[in-house]
Amino acid sequence: MILTGGLKSLLPHVLRRIIRCNRLSISNTSGMAEGYKQANVVILHKSLADDFEKFCHANDGPLPLLYRSKLGDWKCPSLSTDSDIRTDCLQYRIYEHGACTGSLKSLKEYSQQLKDMVTFYLGCSFSFEKALQNAGIPVRNVEQKCNVSMYKTAVPCYSVSAFCCNLVVTMRPIPESKLEAALLATNELKEAHGAPIHMGDPGLLGIQDLSKPDYGDPVHLHPGDIPVFWACGVTGVEAVINCRAPLAFTHSPGCMFVTDLKNDNVTARFSREVPQVHCISQDPLHYSIVSAEAAQKIRNLETLIGIDPGERGIIHLQRQDELLKACLAISHARSVLITTGFPTHFTYEPPEENDGPPGALAIAALLQALEKEVAIVTDRRAMNLNKKIIEEAVQLGILKRPVPLLSYQKESADSALTFLCENGNPGRPRFDHLVAIERAGMAADGNYYNARKHNIKDLVDPIDELFLAARTIPGVTTTGVGDGGNELGMGKVKDAVKKHIKNGDVIACDVEADYTIVAGVSNWGGYAIACALYILNTCEIHDRYLRKAVGFPQLPKKMLWFSALPSVTKEEKLLKTLVQHGVRSGKTASLEMEVDGLPFYNTHSLMIEKLL
């Protein structure tokens, strides 16, 4: 028998010849013939071949098609010069009517049946392991001399005819400091599954226990390692099982076909294609990715809205990349709850100001276009007013449909948890992300103050409690948008508010959000969130990560999303509607076309144009 020591430096045709002679003492091909592409193998009856090819193209993350053989052909001339698919994998599996009925070292005894079958060669993540090592990234399964861990997930692939299954992934532990390097090393290697599809908590993929892989071996994490998941070609095995073909063959997971093709590193052609990694949640741990170009566009939005026309000193409250991180978190959310409403004009009816609702509706409109669930929670006393505003926003074409309108009252110690989660169960949250925009925030003394230190507590329902409760619910993140420091969520920067904002020692909100977006006018923060979500969802790198590299890119929906963005015309009509309902400018209490004392024309209208 030949031992494993020198196998990593063997040329592929030599390695295949040794495998063909059944002279190896290894159980998988990880680390073998370093620098050459390896392939998953699926062999199907000719009647299923066209549909399986379509299935591969529809799910090209897990199933990058390297080659489809001709009918009954055991060779693959574009991948290797002297191969025979009947003998050149370490081990095969035979499937009959969806059941694995055995493992084989050779398929020669099935040569007659193979004449009516077609072989598919699919990219494999073993191909990029050398690229990871070249980037200085440890490959734990190679270090531990074992097969890579493979897991079935809860992520459905795009179905084609009889082929339907959930995504299978490989997991490689990566040191946290090397996450971006791992992403860069694999992003352009599309034929080896490309960039990771998930970084962080395995539970977010429906994987319950990393120590119990569905295929392969357990790979142990070192302290500081993050589980990183790539789409896996064993997805094809799951598709074969579910299609219940009378007869099919696959490689045995980890026992790949080694090709003659060099797996040359491909460097990103343009800087805009370089992906970045950002942590968006600690509990559960979750990282997202975005292109450098998209991230810079969002940073530009953050800079635009950060001007201080009211000269309040908000520059001292701003934190870099809060807009980017908040919108990455929202982009991954399934359901979003928005709150707004600041009854600063307590001597008027209604007491609301007109900063907040337009920004909230701008966010809601884009979320609707992205097909996410969205609801708004506000004060019970303001329900009728907000219902009318939402109805007119639909008539004006700002919203596609009415947004569900909710109110919250504290009735027991568990009221907030019951509101946010099904049956109060933190494991079943109704919302993944909460956004507060120009919402009165509770100060340290339990009261609510406008900018002039007037206590307006009797007009404000305790929606802050939802944000406090959200901090105890795994997977629920929060964003606060404000322009003065007394808004819900601004507790994250309360020390700066107390130091730099007029009356800050009294009015500063004590309740913090995970992300704090500070804008010259809060509506601008809402517009920027909508624009940033548009940028993210039109970013190919982020789109692929969102859909876990299965199904098709969502870019054809780009024009639909764009039409949902705020515009000068839409915001002008909405502000006129607010004026008609007696909703006043925050700073002046004027019923003119202004927000926070700043004229709509040539101030707010210009900001909208710049953001777009």
Side-chain angles (χ1 to χ4, degrees), residues 418-495:
T418 302
F419 184 94
L420 292 174
C421 305
E422 293 181 26
N423 301 317
N425 178 4
R428 301 184 66 185
R430 291 190 176 95
F431 309 100
D432 308 303
H433 197 95
L434 278 58
V435 180
I437 174 167
E438 193 63 23
R439 170 71 194 174
M442 184 172 64
D445 63 3
N447 292 315
Y448 297 79
Y449 296 95
N450 67 13
R452 294 175 289 279
K453 292 201 297 189
H454 292 294
N455 186 356
I456 53 173
K457 183 176 181 178
D458 60 326
L459 295 172
V460 182
D461 290 345
I463 289 170
D464 306 65
E465 292 180 2
L466 301 179
F467 279 66
L468 293 169
R471 301 183 74 80
T472 70
I473 305 170
V476 178
T477 46
T478 58
T479 295
V481 183
D483 57 19
N486 56 344
E487 301 89 0
L488 177 53
M490 293 291 122
K492 187 174 182 178
V493 293
K494 63 184 177 184
D495 291 340

Side-chain angles (χ1 to χ4, degrees), residues 236-309:
V237 175
E238 288 293 305
V240 167
I241 292 170
N242 286 348
C243 86
R244 300 181 182 277
L247 180 67
F249 304 97
T250 72
H251 68 293
S252 189
C255 302
M256 319 309 294
F257 175 83
V258 182
T259 78
D260 293 340
L261 301 183
K262 276 274 193 181
N263 195 41
D264 296 321
N265 258 326
V266 182
T267 54
R269 295 183 294 278
F270 306 105
S271 62
R272 73 169 185 269
E273 295 179 341
V274 176
Q276 298 178 349
V277 178
H278 296 274
C279 183
I280 58 171
S281 170
Q282 288 293 337
D283 182 21
L285 187 62
H286 192 191
Y287 296 82
S288 188
I289 69 173
V290 63
S291 72
E293 182 190 40
Q296 188 55 52
K297 285 180 179 178
I298 293 171
R299 291 187 181 107
N300 293 343
L301 296 178
E302 191 171 55
T303 301
L304 272 176
I305 64 172
I307 61 171
D308 190 4

Side-chain angles (χ1 to χ4, degrees), residues 163-456:
F163 295 103
C164 61
C165 66
N166 284 359
L167 174 68
V168 176
V169 293
T170 57
M171 186 282 293
R172 288 171 176 82
I174 305 291
E176 186 174 21
S177 62
K178 303 279 189 181
L179 288 179
E180 202 150 276
L183 179 57
L184 290 167
T186 59
N187 181 58
E188 292 295 321
L189 302 178
K190 309 298 185 190
E191 291 186 341
H193 305 300
I197 59 92
H198 180 63
M199 300 181 180
D201 193 303
L204 294 171
L205 293 177
I207 299 168
Q208 301 306 318
D209 189 347
L210 285 181
S211 71
K212 297 177 180 177
D214 296 292
Y215 300 97
D217 301 318
V219 177
H220 303 294
L221 280 73
H222 288 207
D225 281 353
I226 305 297
V228 178
F229 301 86
W230 279 266
C232 176
V234 175
T235 303
V237 175
E238 288 293 305
V240 167
I241 292 170
N242 286 348
C243 86
R244 300 181 182 277
L247 180 67
F249 304 97
T250 72
H251 68 293
S252 189
C255 302
M256 319 309 294
F257 175 83
V258 182
T259 78
D260 293 340
L261 301 183
K262 276 274 193 181
N263 195 41
D264 296 321
N265 258 326
V266 182
T267 54
R269 295 183 294 278
F270 306 105
S271 62
R272 73 169 185 269
E273 295 179 341
V274 176
Q276 298 178 349
V277 178
H278 296 274
C279 183
I280 58 171
S281 170
Q282 288 293 337
D283 182 21
L285 187 62
H286 192 191
Y287 296 82
S288 188
I289 69 173
V290 63
S291 72
E293 182 190 40
Q296 188 55 52
K297 285 180 179 178
I298 293 171
R299 291 187 181 107
N300 293 343
L301 296 178
E302 191 171 55
T303 301
L304 272 176
I305 64 172
I307 61 171
D308 190 4
E311 298 181 346
R312 298 179 182 181
I314 64 167
I315 189 171
H316 302 289
L317 314 185
Q318 293 165 353
R319 302 290 183 270
Q320 187 177 9
D321 282 347
E322 292 288 285
L323 177 64
L324 174 59
K325 291 177 183 178
C327 291
L328 283 169
I330 296 170
S331 185
H332 282 272
R334 171 191 50 83
S335 179
V336 179
L337 179 68
I338 302 171
T339 185
T340 190
F342 207 123
T344 189
H345 303 303
F346 55 91
T347 60
Y348 292 93
E349 181 56 41
E352 268 66 32
E353 63 166 298
N354 58 16
D355 189 18
L361 293 182
I363 298 168
L366 209 283
L367 292 174
Q368 284 185 339
L370 293 173
E371 299 176 17
K372 297 183 185 292
E373 296 176 23
V374 58
I376 292 175
V377 60
T378 191
D379 301 298
R380 181 178 288 178
R381 55 159 189 81
M383 289 286 281
N384 286 336
L385 171 66
N386 280 280
K387 184 180 178 184
K388 291 174 184 175
I389 293 169
I390 289 170
E391 287 172 350
E392 293 190 37
V394 174
Q395 293 171 12
L396 293 171
I398 295 167
L399 296 172
K400 284 200 303 184
R401 57 187 176 277
V403 178
L405 192 60
L406 311 172
S407 68
Y408 169 75
Q409 301 291 317
K410 183 173 183 177
E411 296 170 353
S412 70
D414 296 329
S415 289
L417 205 58
T418 302
F419 184 94
L420 292 174
C421 305
E422 293 181 26
N423 301 317
N425 178 4
R428 301 184 66 185
R430 291 190 176 95
F431 309 100
D432 308 303
H433 197 95
L434 278 58
V435 180
I437 174 167
E438 193 63 23
R439 170 71 194 174
M442 184 172 64
D445 63 3
N447 292 315
Y448 297 79
Y449 296 95
N450 67 13
R452 294 175 289 279
K453 292 201 297 189
H454 292 294
N455 186 356
I456 53 173

Side-chain angles (χ1 to χ4, degrees), residues 518-594:
V518 180
V521 176
S522 292
N523 281 342
W524 300 352
Y527 303 152
I529 288 174
C531 292
L533 288 171
Y534 173 81
I535 291 167
L536 287 177
N537 283 271
T538 53
C539 166
E540 291 183 25
I541 287 172
H542 184 67
D543 167 68
R544 181 184 185 274
Y545 192 75
L546 278 182
R547 57 187 173 85
K548 306 292 184 283
V550 297
F552 297 100
Q554 297 296 296
L555 291 179
K557 298 178 181 178
K558 183 176 179 178
M559 291 312 298
L560 172 67
W561 299 336
F562 187 81
S563 68
L565 288 172
S567 69
V568 173
T569 300
K570 283 194 262 189
E571 297 309 306
E572 179 186 26
K573 291 177 180 177
L574 181 57
L575 184 54
K576 286 179 178 178
T577 295
L578 293 174
V579 169
Q580 289 167 4
H581 286 291
V583 181
R584 299 168 183 271
S585 172
K587 193 171 184 179
T588 64
S590 167
L591 279 175
E592 302 295 328
M593 289 293 286
E594 65 172 55

